[in-house]
Amino acid sequence: MILWLLLFIFSILLLYFHNRRVISHKNLEKSSKKSLFVIAHPDDECMFFGPTITYLMKNHLEVNILCFSSGANDMEKRVRKDELYRSCQELGINQNYVSLLDSSIFPDNIKTFWPVIDVAAEIENHIFRNGIDTVYTFDEGGVSGHPNHISLFRAVRHLLKGSEVATGVILSTQ
């Protein structure tokens, strides 16, 4: 149990210092006005992107959240949805900037990769509808190897290859 706790604390510190290095560039504040964090599940916003979100909020930049799934069953979905909104509130994110898709196309499942085209379409729609200029999501390994996280990376990569989004939008994987 203690080993897991130490591993968890080490992981959080590693993410914190990695995020500080990634976002410490002065031109981020000049170029980014509306950021979008593309996450798979409630808790991803704080577990993987908390330090980056905190930095952006402290610099008075708009932060949006696009979450693709809220859980496996109705009871879990209600609880996780509430957790997402409360977490975002704690991070200082306006609830109007938090979107939860919760479609059967995107099940919360450790064995399921989501359809890249469908995920990319949702992200692209959100970018254009909300005037997003910077997108953050997972790295190619999904940070934890979760197929849902990896699907988000693949969708953002797809957008970079053949979309109007690739022009004028900063895309970052952390």
Side-chain angles (χ1 to χ4, degrees):
M1 179 66 175
I2 292 174
L3 180 62
W4 283 109
L5 180 61
L6 290 173
L7 184 60
F8 176 75
I9 291 170
F10 175 75
S11 298
I12 295 300
L13 289 173
L14 184 65
L15 285 170
Y16 174 76
F17 287 110
H18 172 73
N19 286 347
R20 285 192 58 174
R21 188 188 72 221
V22 169
I23 63 174
S24 63
H25 305 290
K26 293 189 187 285
N27 60 353
L28 174 65
E29 292 170 22
K30 294 175 187 169
S31 63
S32 175
K33 302 293 184 226
K34 291 186 171 191
S35 295
L36 173 65
F37 287 80
V38 180
I39 62 174
H41 319 103
D43 77 9
D44 291 350
E45 75 287 344
C46 59
M47 202 154 114
F48 300 112
F49 301 106
T52 305
I53 291 171
T54 300
Y55 176 86
L56 294 172
M57 295 303 295
K58 282 183 180 177
N59 286 282
H60 309 289
L61 301 171
E62 183 180 305
V63 172
N64 293 260
I65 303 289
L66 177 59
C67 182
F68 275 79
S69 178
S70 65
N73 60 56
D74 288 338
M75 176 62 98
E76 184 179 291
K77 287 179 181 190
R78 284 192 297 273
V79 171
R80 305 268 326 264
K81 179 180 178 181
D82 183 55
E83 288 173 348
L84 173 66
Y85 284 102
R86 285 188 296 137
S87 172
C88 288
Q89 183 178 11
E90 284 295 318
L91 289 166
I93 301 169
N94 183 321
Q95 290 201 342
N96 293 327
Y97 301 147
V98 179
S99 299
L100 177 61
L101 298 180
D102 202 29
S103 167
S104 61
I105 299 171
F106 312 119
D108 182 351
N109 189 315
I110 192 71
K111 297 179 180 179
T112 302
F113 286 93
W114 295 333
V116 170
I117 301 298
D118 294 331
V119 175
E122 292 288 351
I123 296 169
E124 186 173 42
N125 182 35
H126 203 84
I127 289 170
F128 286 123
R129 191 174 62 238
N130 297 291
I132 300 298
D133 57 37
T134 307
V135 176
Y136 296 88
T137 196
F138 297 96
D139 63 14
E140 63 187 322
V143 178
S144 62
H146 197 300
N148 297 166
H149 298 172
I150 294 168
S151 298
L152 298 177
F153 168 82
R154 290 176 178 170
V156 169
R157 184 178 59 194
H158 175 78
L159 288 175
L160 280 171
K161 289 182 177 179
S163 167
E164 294 176 37
V165 169
T167 306
V169 177
I170 299 167
L171 296 153
S172 173
T173 58
Q174 298 197 6

